Amino acid sequence: MNKRIYWIEGDGIGPEIWKAARPVIEAALAAENTGINLEWTELLAGDKAVKETGSPLPEETMQTLRTAELAMKGPLGTPVGTGIRSLNVALRQGLDLYACIRPVRHFEGLETPVKHPERVNMVIFRENTEDVYAGVEFAAGTPEARKLITFLREELGVNKVGDAAAVGIKPMTEAGSKRLVRRALRFALDQKQQSLTLVHKGNIMKFTEGAFRQWGYDVAAQEFGDLTCTEKEPVAGRLVVKDRIADAMFQEALLRPEQYQILATPNLNGDYISDALAAQVGGLGLAPGVNMSDTLAFYEATHGTAPTIAGKDKANPGSVILCGALMLEHIGVPKAAERIRNAVSKAIAAKAVTEDLAAQVPGSRTVGCVEFGDIIGANL
């Protein structure tokens, strides 16, 4: 059986981490003798697309992905303050990849900023298409901003916004929130987890993030009522659905991480908490992620393009390799996925790691991107 995987090389360190990661993914699958073959088809986006087509995100790429089931990509650059808002956001919104799913766990041997990183073992489900990432904002002093400010004052009686303000809108819908929490609930139940936590700032943003919290509880009660319970009314053997205010959750993640397994969050909260948790266990270099619609699973490295080390054989291919493990799990080969995770663990235990990890592995030997990929491959 063949599985077609569309892949985007990425900017900066993208080309070199792909060269190191892809052989590992293929070897892990081959070791299981499943009869599944991966067919890789490249699509263009980012700097490579600009050079070949003049566009950072060609319509041909989007059209292909709209009918795809599996895709992977390296990091894509995002200009700050000018140009296209974000290629990553454009892909997520254009393909309705509404669930950003990031598992966070510690690999033994990595020193981290906390005493017990091994207590962190969470999966974050981040809503991916709404919230401030919808991109509805207007620069200070523009006619659009002034018009919106005037509307707020004259039509809605909102007098707290100054004339010189930049303004943005934070849309959050019941449908968007519920489908994210629904997916998180199904995952938590399938994995026989203890709890799911809704992370929000509903004490201040009562009608957006507060609504996210309520819609989360509603979908749990209405669609999974015989399988879930609340923290206030626990039932033995059921998944506990609870909620935490975002700033409190950051404290909990440091003080009592073992009490949390699955987090479901609005877009911005999820962006913050997933990176913060990754830092607790060793950084983004070993942090995989997937963006999912109802039909497409799009795996991506969670780190950036790292242009200062691009082409120097210093990059860490671990995030893309572990994305491959997530993808293999998704297509029904969990043993191949576990092979990859064990192989990464062995590489760290052997203290032969890339530059970004070397400072966290006492007594380690620094190796290049290619060699690190070879070491992980040999450990399969």
Side-chain angles (χ1 to χ4, degrees):
M1 180 173 62
N2 296 328
K3 287 285 186 181
R4 183 177 298 278
I5 304 171
Y6 294 97
W7 65 283
I8 294 170
E9 188 173 62
D11 301 330
I13 59 174
E16 52 201 300
I17 60 177
W18 262 114
K19 287 178 182 177
R22 183 168 151 182
V24 175
I25 298 167
E26 292 177 333
L29 178 60
E32 292 301 320
N33 296 313
T34 62
I36 298 174
N37 298 307
L38 304 180
E39 294 184 352
W40 301 86
T41 300
E42 185 177 8
L43 298 176
L44 295 177
D47 293 342
K48 193 172 185 178
V50 171
K51 291 176 183 177
E52 297 193 24
T53 71
S55 169
L57 188 57
E59 181 56 29
E60 182 179 350
T61 293
M62 293 298 288
Q63 287 179 355
T64 301
L65 289 171
R66 287 186 186 109
T67 61
E69 294 181 7
L70 297 167
M72 296 184 71
K73 74 175 193 63
L76 292 171
T78 298
V80 177
T82 186
I84 188 169
R85 181 173 297 277
S86 166
L87 285 173
N88 292 321
V89 173
L91 283 165
R92 293 167 191 169
Q93 293 181 345
L95 299 169
D96 197 29
L97 301 169
Y98 63 85
C100 176
I101 306 169
R102 292 187 181 181
V104 182
R105 53 163 284 187
H106 177 248
F107 285 91
E108 187 176 353
L110 281 182
E111 287 193 352
T112 74
V114 299
K115 291 182 179 179
H116 292 288
E118 75 281 356
R119 294 178 182 173
V120 176
N121 190 0
M122 302 184 209
V123 182
I124 301 98
F125 282 72
R126 166 191 172 194
E127 201 290 318
N128 227 4
T129 61
E130 300 186 331
D131 201 354
V132 294
Y133 278 74
V136 185
E137 62 174 353
F138 304 98
T142 60
E144 294 84 359
R146 287 193 292 268
K147 187 174 182 180
L148 183 53
I149 292 167
T150 298
F151 176 82
L152 290 171
R153 289 174 178 170
E154 296 181 358
E155 299 296 328
L156 300 179
V158 177
N159 296 309
K160 300 176 183 179
V161 184
D163 292 335
V167 289
I169 295 176
K170 178 187 175 78
M172 295 176 66
T173 67
E174 180 177 3
S177 298
K178 280 187 172 181
R179 67 177 180 173
L180 182 279
V181 177
R182 183 180 297 115
R183 184 182 281 270
L185 284 164
R186 286 174 177 158
F187 178 86
L189 290 165
D190 288 345
Q191 298 296 315
K192 295 179 171 45
Q193 297 289 348
Q194 298 173 33
S195 69
L196 180 148
T197 305
L198 304 164
V199 182
H200 62 91
K201 192 64 179 172
N203 57 326
I204 302 299
M205 291 171 277
K206 300 181 187 299
F207 305 121
T208 50
E209 302 213 11
F212 175 89
R213 169 188 176 276
Q214 187 57 54
W215 290 326
Y217 277 121
D218 289 346
V219 75
Q222 294 165 7
E223 300 181 26
F224 302 88
D226 57 338
L227 300 171
T228 65
C229 62
T230 66
E231 193 172 34
K232 293 180 180 178
E233 299 179 344
V235 178
R238 293 190 180 187
L239 176 74
V240 178
V241 180
K242 54 191 178 182
D243 73 276
R244 295 291 183 269
I245 294 171
D247 45 318
M249 186 62 228
F250 274 83
Q251 282 196 90
E252 291 291 285
L254 288 166
L255 299 174
R256 288 172 284 274
E258 67 279 0
Q259 295 183 13
Y260 300 88
Q261 291 80 47
I262 310 296
L263 307 183
T265 80
N267 207 331
L268 186 60
N269 290 337
D271 195 2
Y272 292 153
I273 194 73
S274 58
D275 280 13
L277 285 169
Q280 281 184 227
V281 299
L284 291 175
L286 295 175
V290 57
N291 297 292
M292 300 188 77
S293 69
D294 287 331
T295 56
L296 172 63
F298 201 153
Y299 299 85
E300 67 174 12
T302 58
H303 55 70
T305 58
T308 58
I309 63 169
K312 298 180 180 179
D313 194 37
K314 294 182 177 182
N316 179 357
S319 180
V320 175
I321 289 172
L322 291 168
C323 282
L326 288 181
M327 186 268 293
L328 292 174
E329 216 160 35
H330 180 70
I331 65 173
V333 196
K335 290 184 179 179
E338 197 57 28
R339 276 183 185 271
I340 289 177
R341 296 186 186 109
N342 289 338
V344 173
S345 293
K346 288 179 183 178
I348 295 169
K351 299 182 182 292
V353 294
T354 48
E355 186 177 72
D356 63 313
L357 298 176
Q360 298 165 264
V361 181
S364 63
R365 174 175 69 91
T366 300
V367 301
C369 177
V370 172
E371 186 176 355
F372 192 52
D374 289 344
I375 290 169
I376 294 172
N379 288 341
L380 292 171

